Amino acid sequence: MTTNAAQASQASQAPETSQASQASQAAPARHASHAGPGLDTAAGPDAALHALLLARHSCRAFLPAPVPRDVIERILTLAQRTASWCNCQPWRVAVTEGAGTERLRAALLARAQQADAASGFTPDFPFPREYRNEYLARRRESGFQLYGAVGVARGDRDAYRRQELRNFQLFDAPHVAIITTDEALGEYGAMDCGGYVANFLLAAQANGVATVAQASLAMYPEVLRDVLGIDADRRVVCGISFGYADADHPANSYRTRRADLPETVSWVTA
């Protein structure tokens, strides 16, 4: 794989090395959720939120049926309640449908295919310099599950590339939302947009709509600006492809694990 292709693979969260034995573990874990230690799953004041968090997953195969405009507007209205630094609400959202989605899909795929022989990509916000330690392990685990589910064999670089390009086909979703922030707000604007993205995903789940947040779509901000008319002072954070899930597609047959609290939380008591 070329350097540029390797970078693109990193952006799409698809590790280059896979193991059949680990990948095959994805099948028994279909639709299993990881509630975390000590979390009471019985009805409680947070039962509705708990259910949404457990049900939501990154959908990587969509049906062609569009989401009605009033449902999309409901999702956007709920996400608009996101907390932000000084209530700046820095996000702007370009939502595609119909021919608009197809035009963007074609442009992104064409640009991604050029990257095989051309000059990589330049996102508005730098991608991770590297994945280390537990972050690398979690990324690999997620990749093993995906590759195992869709039947990508270890070392099959052509198959890796085909799966990677699915990102730029929007996984056949009928809609995509591109999230941008004001350039002058820098990382704080991007952080606020992250909160918006999380709430968008949950609001969509509550309305029966499947989603996948995609950093890969931010790889080619020049394409997004050209097709969607995004202003020069806006910085692309990510995209969210959304629609109705193809529940029978193998890419949607597994669920990822969440770390236990001791892996992420420390208590300071004195």
Side-chain angles (χ1 to χ4, degrees):
M1 182 177 288
T2 66
T3 301
N4 291 336
Q7 289 175 315
S9 181
Q10 181 186 62
S12 60
Q13 300 183 352
E16 190 172 293
T17 58
S18 179
Q19 297 178 3
S21 61
Q22 288 176 281
S24 65
Q25 295 175 6
R30 287 187 177 187
H31 305 288
S33 57
H34 187 75
L39 183 60
D40 184 1
T41 58
D46 59 0
L49 176 60
H50 179 209
L52 290 173
L53 287 167
L54 292 186
R56 192 216 64 80
H57 71 284
S58 293
C59 178
R60 291 185 173 87
F62 293 87
L63 298 173
V67 179
R69 175 70 72 88
D70 64 325
V71 175
I72 298 175
E73 290 181 346
R74 175 66 177 169
I75 293 167
L76 293 167
T77 299
L78 290 170
Q80 193 62 33
R81 299 301 306 174
T82 299
S84 60
W85 191 268
C86 299
N87 199 33
C88 287
Q89 304 171 61
W91 48 83
R92 287 187 188 169
V93 189
V95 181
T96 70
E97 58 185 356
T101 301
E102 298 311 316
R103 191 159 56 93
L104 181 60
R105 194 191 326 267
L108 283 169
L109 181 60
R111 178 63 183 87
Q113 289 172 328
Q114 291 173 7
D116 285 335
S119 58
F121 59 94
T122 308
D124 289 340
F125 291 98
F127 278 22
R129 187 181 72 251
E130 64 176 313
Y131 290 86
R132 299 183 297 188
N133 305 320
E134 65 267 35
Y135 314 116
L136 177 60
R138 292 168 189 159
R139 179 173 180 266
R140 283 177 169 167
E141 180 183 36
S142 175
F144 293 149
Q145 288 181 280
L146 173 60
Y147 285 157
V150 299
V152 173
R154 180 182 180 182
D156 188 343
R157 297 193 177 204
D158 289 339
Y160 294 157
R161 181 60 173 156
R162 285 194 299 271
Q163 183 59 39
E164 178 189 338
L165 289 175
R166 291 285 293 152
N167 284 276
F168 307 103
Q169 295 168 320
L170 312 178
F171 301 108
D172 300 326
H175 309 279
V176 66
I178 301 298
I179 316 300
T180 67
T181 184
D182 184 83
E183 178 276 331
L185 296 177
E187 286 80 2
Y188 282 97
M191 181 176 68
D192 286 343
C193 287
Y196 179 91
V197 169
N199 285 335
F200 184 106
L201 302 185
L202 291 179
Q205 183 67 38
N207 282 276
V209 175
T211 58
V212 57
Q214 295 181 261
S216 56
L217 302 187
M219 291 168 60
Y220 307 119
E222 72 281 4
V223 174
L224 301 177
R225 290 191 175 92
D226 178 56
V227 175
L228 302 177
I230 295 172
D231 292 340
D233 64 348
R234 304 297 299 176
R235 295 294 175 263
V236 176
V237 177
C238 69
I240 306 171
S241 292
F242 66 97
Y244 296 111
D246 181 351
D248 295 327
H249 195 287
N252 291 328
S253 67
Y254 70 95
R255 299 294 181 267
T256 52
R257 186 186 75 85
R258 293 298 180 269
D260 293 332
L261 290 186
E263 297 182 59
T264 61
V265 178
S266 60
W267 296 91
V268 180
T269 58

